[in-house]
Amino acid sequence: MGLTQSGSRTNNAIMNKSVGPLLNTLLFTVFVPGTVAGYMPCRLRQGAAPVTGVERWIAIAIIVIGVAIYLYTSFWSFAMIGGGTPAPVAPTKILVVKGLHRFVRNPMYLGVALVIGGQACLFHSMLIAIYLACFWLIVHLFVLLYEEPTLRKQFGEQYDRYRASVPRWIPKVR
């Protein structure tokens, strides 16, 4: 009985520590990726009808994979493991190097890019494709000029070792 209560207390403590980051991540997700990968592509498609057949299912699969990558990385890796959020104002308290972060340093951005790219394919939209290119350029500059220097300051040598062994954009499959 004592073992169960102790285990239960530990689980409750973990959940209590995670509730704030989970709620903040939910808010961030609705407003930032929700706008960037949902609202904006919807506006840019200008009422275009989705493609049909196999092409439709491929585009939908790309979108679903992108959503899954984003949700897994933001909610599990950042909120539950890292104790923070994807938002720069509430970063993780530990350097997250588990999960998809073992293969690529920025899986969350890749997930969002897949969602946007999948919509460009689904609606044969050149505007969404151009928007994706602009998104990618902005994210790349953000990572280079803000995120990486900030992580280096926060985590020092631990981040340097991680950066040396895990690529920024193209996943490293081991």
Side-chain angles (χ1 to χ4, degrees), residues 140-151:
H140 182 68
L141 291 173
F142 177 76
V143 166
L144 287 178
L145 301 174
Y146 173 78
E147 198 168 88
E148 288 182 352
T150 301
L151 289 170

Side-chain angles (χ1 to χ4, degrees), residues 64-134:
V64 167
I65 290 167
V67 168
I69 289 170
Y70 174 81
L71 292 175
Y72 173 82
T73 307
S74 62
F75 285 92
W76 178 252
S77 297
F78 273 47
M80 296 296 289
I81 293 173
T85 73
V89 296
T92 62
K93 293 169 183 36
I94 64 165
L95 181 63
V96 178
V97 297
K98 295 179 180 186
L100 297 177
H101 285 90
R102 292 175 301 153
F103 306 105
V104 66
R105 292 196 310 260
N106 299 292
M108 215 174 319
Y109 296 128
L110 292 174
V112 172
L114 285 171
V115 172
I116 297 168
Q119 291 175 84
C121 294
L122 184 62
F123 297 102
H124 279 193
S125 173
M126 184 57 75
L127 281 176
I128 297 175
I130 292 168
Y131 173 71
L132 172 60
C134 293

Side-chain angles (χ1 to χ4, degrees), residues 3-101:
L3 184 63
T4 304
Q5 287 176 340
S6 174
S8 178
R9 274 189 231 130
T10 302
N11 288 341
N12 286 340
I14 290 170
M15 280 308 294
N16 287 340
K17 283 184 178 180
S18 300
V19 169
L22 285 170
L23 290 175
N24 289 335
T25 297
L26 178 61
L27 274 171
F28 176 83
T29 299
V30 167
F31 289 106
V32 179
T35 299
V36 170
Y39 178 75
M40 288 303 296
C42 184
R43 298 289 300 178
L44 292 172
R45 75 177 190 203
Q46 299 177 331
V51 296
T52 58
V54 173
E55 193 176 11
R56 175 188 184 116
W57 292 109
I58 292 170
I60 289 170
I62 292 168
I63 293 167
V64 167
I65 290 167
V67 168
I69 289 170
Y70 174 81
L71 292 175
Y72 173 82
T73 307
S74 62
F75 285 92
W76 178 252
S77 297
F78 273 47
M80 296 296 289
I81 293 173
T85 73
V89 296
T92 62
K93 293 169 183 36
I94 64 165
L95 181 63
V96 178
V97 297
K98 295 179 180 186
L100 297 177
H101 285 90

